[in-house]
């Protein structure tokens, strides 16, 4: 991107750093991390959730969020006719948010954002019935959509700044399917999100397009380099775990800015890094977590 000032909003991918389009040589050993959740674990959780929500008597969650086209072709039971798809998906989403709150997320703005974003639109249709369980789900290319609790928790931690939660620019590393970017768009003025896997960058674009969110800018590139041309950021969230947080990202935090990242390999912890001055950052370890690995370069 050129050095001249560009006013927000910028068009999608207008912040492309040409140099980040090339694969970077690996600078650190690749951590071997197990996939966060297997489909089997998720299916078990889903069954438990169906029971807990008592939606399973005649309309399992999987059916509750089925596409309208499918609803039309399926012989509709009277109960289904009485409960159109969007309402049921709202109910299931409310139940998800209630669980996230029960797990300790208190920030009302974050919970409201989670209530507003239709998570089932970010997973492939075959998995939409599991979209509201508290688990990560596969999105292809060995990557996952993060579990709702951790999405909410990270944003809550990022918002707990000295400005009462006000966030101008935030950066997400690891767009994946675009879900967390959509949630972030409701708590920050401008959201920049970088993805290193081209088909996922494209997937996020097509998932987000129908939602017409004006303040998200998607970037295909190596998030370990950040977006120096847009920095500084009030908040940075990493949706993938490295052995350490890249210095480039620390440098792109504003003073008073907060970065939240999973750090580690087999054992990972969620870390909060606050920039307290030009050359000073503080580091707080929050809790154990489980993310896909942060990798250099693009594919
Ligand atoms: N934010 C997503 C989570 C995606 S999973 C959600 O809403 O659920 C983490 C993503 O990080 C993967 O898509 C992976 O490809 C991406 N990733 C890993 N290393 C990266 C890097 N260096 N730069 C950008 N994205 C990266």
């Amino acid at each position: 991107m050129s050095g001249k000032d560009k006013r927000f909003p910028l068009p999608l991918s207008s912040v492309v750093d040409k140099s980040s389009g090339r694969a970077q040589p690996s600078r650190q050993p690749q951590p071997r991390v197990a996939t966060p959740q297997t489909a089997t674990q998720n299916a078990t959780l889903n069954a438990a959730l169906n029971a807990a929500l008592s939606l399973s008597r005649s309309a399992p969650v999987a059916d509750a969020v089925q596409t309208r086209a499918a609803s039309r072709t399926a012989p509709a039971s009277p109960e289904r006719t009485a409960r159109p798809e969007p309402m049921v998906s709202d109910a299931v989403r409310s139940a998800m948010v209630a669980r996230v709150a029960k797990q300790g997320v208190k920030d009302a703005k974050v919970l409201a954002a989670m209530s507003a974003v239709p998570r089932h639109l970010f997973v492939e249709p075959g998995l939409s019935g599991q979209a509201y369980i508290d688990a990560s789900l596969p999105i292809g290319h060995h990557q996952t959509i993060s579990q709702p609790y951790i999405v909410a928790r990270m944003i809550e931690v990022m918002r707990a700044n000295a400005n009462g939660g006000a966030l101008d620019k935030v950066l997400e590393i690891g767009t994946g399917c675009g879900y967390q970017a959509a949630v972030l768009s409701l708590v920050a003025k401008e959201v920049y999100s970088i993805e290193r896997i081209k088909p996922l960058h494209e997937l996020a674009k097509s998932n987000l397009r129908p939602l017409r969110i004006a303040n998200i800018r998607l970037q295909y590139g190596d998030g370990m380099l950040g977006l120096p041309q847009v920095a500084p950021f009030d908040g940075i969230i990493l949706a993938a775990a490295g052995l350490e947080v890249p210095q480039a990202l620390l440098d792109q935090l504003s003073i008073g800015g907060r970065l939240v990242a999973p750090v580690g390999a087999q054992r990972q912890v969620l870390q909060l890094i606050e920039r307290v001055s030009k050359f000073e950052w503080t580091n707080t370890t929050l809790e154990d977590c489980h993310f896909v690995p942060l990798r250099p370069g693009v594919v």
Side-chain angles (χ1 to χ4, degrees):
M1 181 162 150
S2 72
K4 61 179 176 258
D5 253 341
K6 293 204 176 174
R7 282 186 179 278
F8 195 82
L10 310 168
L12 271 182
S13 298
S14 69
V15 290
V16 173
D17 173 7
K18 302 281 187 301
S19 65
S20 67
R22 266 175 274 120
Q24 304 288 318
S26 178
R27 262 173 264 120
Q28 61 183 36
Q30 295 299 306
R32 269 173 48 85
V33 182
T35 307
Q37 293 276 200
T38 65
T40 320
Q41 282 170 315
N42 290 340
T44 313
L45 278 165
N46 190 28
L49 178 73
N50 280 347
L53 288 175
S54 305
L55 282 170
S56 56
R57 267 178 312 161
S58 64
V61 176
D63 287 348
V65 291
Q66 72 192 348
T67 62
R68 280 199 198 130
S71 316
R72 273 201 298 272
T73 51
S77 70
E79 202 169 318
R80 266 189 211 154
T81 317
R83 248 184 132 167
E85 175 265 304
M87 278 178 62
V88 179
S89 129
D90 284 354
V92 180
R93 188 156 61 248
S94 300
M96 175 195 82
V97 174
R99 277 195 315 278
V100 167
K102 210 170 164 193
Q103 284 171 284
V105 175
K106 295 188 178 64
D107 187 329
K109 189 152 181 171
V110 175
L111 295 172
M114 299 283 288
S115 300
V117 177
R119 185 172 159 92
H120 63 282
L121 300 184
F122 290 84
V123 299
E124 59 186 74
L127 290 175
S128 60
Q130 299 181 54
Y132 294 101
I133 64 174
D134 191 35
S136 53
L137 293 169
I139 55 171
H141 305 274
H142 307 291
Q143 308 303 320
T144 55
I145 178 173
S146 304
Q147 68 174 127
Y149 163 74
I150 203 74
V151 169
R153 176 79 176 124
M154 288 175 106
I155 300 176
E156 176 179 66
V157 170
M158 182 179 71
R159 262 175 51 79
N161 59 19
N163 297 335
L167 294 164
D168 280 339
K169 268 187 286 184
V170 301
L171 175 65
E172 177 193 31
I173 312 303
T175 315
C177 60
Y179 173 70
Q180 185 158 26
V183 179
L184 283 169
S185 76
L186 298 173
V187 306
K189 277 198 190 132
E190 300 173 25
V191 178
Y192 293 83
S193 182
I194 313 177
E195 174 56 54
R196 69 182 287 272
I197 300 177
K198 185 80 182 215
L200 289 179
H201 168 70
E202 297 298 334
L203 174 73
K205 270 205 252 184
S206 62
N207 285 341
L208 289 165
R209 199 173 292 122
L211 300 179
R212 298 176 169 277
I213 303 174
N215 62 337
I216 300 180
R217 300 295 171 258
L218 299 181
Q219 167 81 28
Y220 169 57
D222 181 356
M224 290 171 81
L225 309 174
L227 276 181
Q229 65 275 44
V230 181
F233 297 96
D234 303 320
I236 300 179
I237 283 183
L238 279 79
L243 295 180
E244 57 185 22
V245 175
Q247 184 63 41
L249 297 180
L250 300 180
D251 291 340
Q252 290 172 35
L253 261 187
S254 58
I255 312 263
R258 292 160 77 89
L259 177 150
V260 188
V263 176
Q266 303 296 354
R267 186 184 169 222
Q268 299 172 7
V269 289
L270 200 60
Q271 285 194 352
L272 161 66
I273 297 176
E274 290 173 90
R275 187 169 194 173
V276 288
S277 70
K278 193 162 195 291
F279 299 110
E280 223 183 324
W281 293 260
T282 60
N283 193 332
T284 313
T285 296
L286 301 171
E287 61 200 66
D288 284 0
C289 58
H290 209 16
F291 280 81
V292 294
L294 184 71
R295 295 198 190 282
V298 291
V299 289

